Amino acid sequence: MGAQKSIHAGKAKIDVNVDFTHKLCAALMLHHFRNSGNPLSQIIGSLCIKHPSVFGGSEKLDVSWDKGLYDSNVLVAYRRPRPEWLSQQSFVVQHSISPEIGVHGFPVDNFSRSGSGGVNLRRFSAGVDLNEPASSHWSSTTSIKFEHVRPVNDDGRSITRDLDGFPVTCSGSPHDSMVVLKQESRYAKANDRSFSQLSLQIEQGVPVLSKWLIFNRFKFVASKGVKVGPALLLASLTGGSIVGDMAPYQAFAIGGLGSVRGYGEGAVGTGRSCLIMNSELTLPVNKVLECAVFLDSGTDLGSGRHVPGNPALRHGKPGTGIGCGYGLRLKSRMGQFQVDYAINAFQQKTVYFGVSNIVS
């Protein structure tokens, strides 16, 4: 259940989306790791304000706030008008807080769910995004940002160590700071019978000050979809690795919805490297309903022991996992609703609920 509303105030547009469905999903499948007496904490939704001409010269200002059950994100983006053949510049400021379940959470119920590790991340970033003009099937984005990361406990107090006494930052202080240069290239090609997508991301920590993080992080996502009669066969491969300075929260978390279904978030492993394979076959039942079967697998390539503090070993994560199952996809003008029933290698069953592509 939810409500959406668009309001026009002069040239500005305000989009509001409030969703109460998370309470039902949480009651059915989620392990509540934090209790709150505030009824507003059970509401998820978003607020977006868009202005097409802040100073009368087509400068665009977007302000958005997204609130989840345990996380929130505030984003402010300012875009100056530039000719189409030049890089489009965006000045972006972002602040978020989210629980670090994927790395510091601990698996429960034979790895089907993840409990809280008591570590949350407050992130602040400010920088510039440069969107290059698209060429053929390729597009790219370059950004340089300052990032400040401060781990906090469930009460919002700064911490330097997790529940087992191991550092949660790379510097050992209550926060990490870094300047990150990021390059992302995307390829997309589609026709009536198939589509192909490829995303390549490279992040480089720039040593502006001696105590700031120096690292190189690489990640790729390749996917292919092919029509087989009325059905669609989708396969994807995700991988990545990081070298240099590293805080535990930068590790690749394997397991959960969008990774290896059948496991809790990060319950398969957390490593300096990862390789995840997903395959799914969907068959339309009617115009709005599809059924699906899927098979997922993932591994940390034996790199879990190289993460500072080795949280995967301390929490008993296997490092490799396989999950399979079936699900339903319901399409509507409000977005796609997804329900998956999965089983992992430990014969433990998990149900996932998801909502994507909501439009206001």
Side-chain angles (χ1 to χ4, degrees), residues 159-240:
I159 56 175
T160 59
R161 297 182 179 275
D162 60 20
L163 297 178
D164 295 325
F166 287 84
V168 291
T169 61
C170 179
S171 62
S173 67
H175 61 81
D176 283 332
S177 297
M178 64 199 87
V179 170
V180 180
L181 178 64
K182 180 179 179 180
Q183 173 71 40
E184 181 175 5
S185 299
R186 295 171 297 275
Y187 171 85
K189 184 178 180 180
N191 55 44
D192 293 337
R193 302 299 303 174
S194 67
F195 71 89
S196 302
Q197 294 179 343
L198 176 64
S199 173
L200 302 173
Q201 298 178 8
I202 298 177
E203 295 179 87
Q204 177 66 55
V206 182
V208 177
L209 296 179
S210 59
K211 294 184 178 181
W212 290 9
L213 275 62
I214 307 173
F215 63 90
N216 183 273
R217 192 176 195 267
F218 170 75
K219 181 181 179 181
F220 73 89
V221 180
S223 58
K224 177 74 173 181
V226 180
K227 283 263 189 174
V228 183
L232 175 65
L233 177 62
L234 174 64
S236 65
L237 180 66
T238 302

Side-chain angles (χ1 to χ4, degrees), residues 89-308:
Q89 295 181 350
S90 300
F91 300 90
V92 181
V93 177
Q94 186 173 11
H95 180 271
S96 65
I97 180 169
S98 60
E100 191 48 83
I101 308 173
V103 174
H104 295 285
F106 50 86
V108 294
D109 292 345
N110 284 334
F111 303 92
S112 67
R113 294 187 287 119
S114 293
S116 172
V119 179
N120 306 270
L121 297 182
R122 289 186 180 271
R123 294 177 180 267
F124 171 82
S125 65
V128 180
D129 290 341
L130 299 175
N131 294 298
E132 301 292 337
S135 175
S136 183
H137 300 291
W138 287 92
S139 61
S140 64
T141 301
T142 303
S143 65
I144 183 166
K145 296 180 180 180
F146 166 77
E147 294 187 8
H148 180 87
V149 182
R150 179 183 295 273
V152 298
N153 60 18
D154 291 340
D155 296 325
R157 298 178 181 177
S158 295
I159 56 175
T160 59
R161 297 182 179 275
D162 60 20
L163 297 178
D164 295 325
F166 287 84
V168 291
T169 61
C170 179
S171 62
S173 67
H175 61 81
D176 283 332
S177 297
M178 64 199 87
V179 170
V180 180
L181 178 64
K182 180 179 179 180
Q183 173 71 40
E184 181 175 5
S185 299
R186 295 171 297 275
Y187 171 85
K189 184 178 180 180
N191 55 44
D192 293 337
R193 302 299 303 174
S194 67
F195 71 89
S196 302
Q197 294 179 343
L198 176 64
S199 173
L200 302 173
Q201 298 178 8
I202 298 177
E203 295 179 87
Q204 177 66 55
V206 182
V208 177
L209 296 179
S210 59
K211 294 184 178 181
W212 290 9
L213 275 62
I214 307 173
F215 63 90
N216 183 273
R217 192 176 195 267
F218 170 75
K219 181 181 179 181
F220 73 89
V221 180
S223 58
K224 177 74 173 181
V226 180
K227 283 263 189 174
V228 183
L232 175 65
L233 177 62
L234 174 64
S236 65
L237 180 66
T238 302
S241 186
I242 181 171
V243 296
D245 295 336
M246 179 185 182
Y249 55 78
Q250 292 178 304
F252 293 95
I254 307 166
L257 185 63
S259 179
V260 182
R261 284 164 286 189
Y263 293 83
E265 185 178 352
V268 173
T270 49
R272 274 185 176 264
S273 303
C274 75
L275 191 63
I276 301 169
M277 292 169 281
N278 307 99
S279 58
E280 182 170 297
L281 180 67
T282 60
L283 182 67
V285 178
N286 51 45
K287 292 183 179 181
V288 297
L289 182 64
E290 295 178 339
C291 59
V293 292
F294 56 84
L295 174 66
D296 301 334
S297 63
T299 174
D300 64 4
L301 300 173
S303 64
R305 64 183 184 275
H306 299 302
V307 176

Side-chain angles (χ1 to χ4, degrees), residues 5-20:
K5 182 68 175 179
S6 294
I7 304 171
H8 292 271
K11 295 183 177 181
K13 181 184 178 183
I14 303 175
D15 294 329
V16 182
N17 172 44
V18 181
D19 193 347
F20 298 90

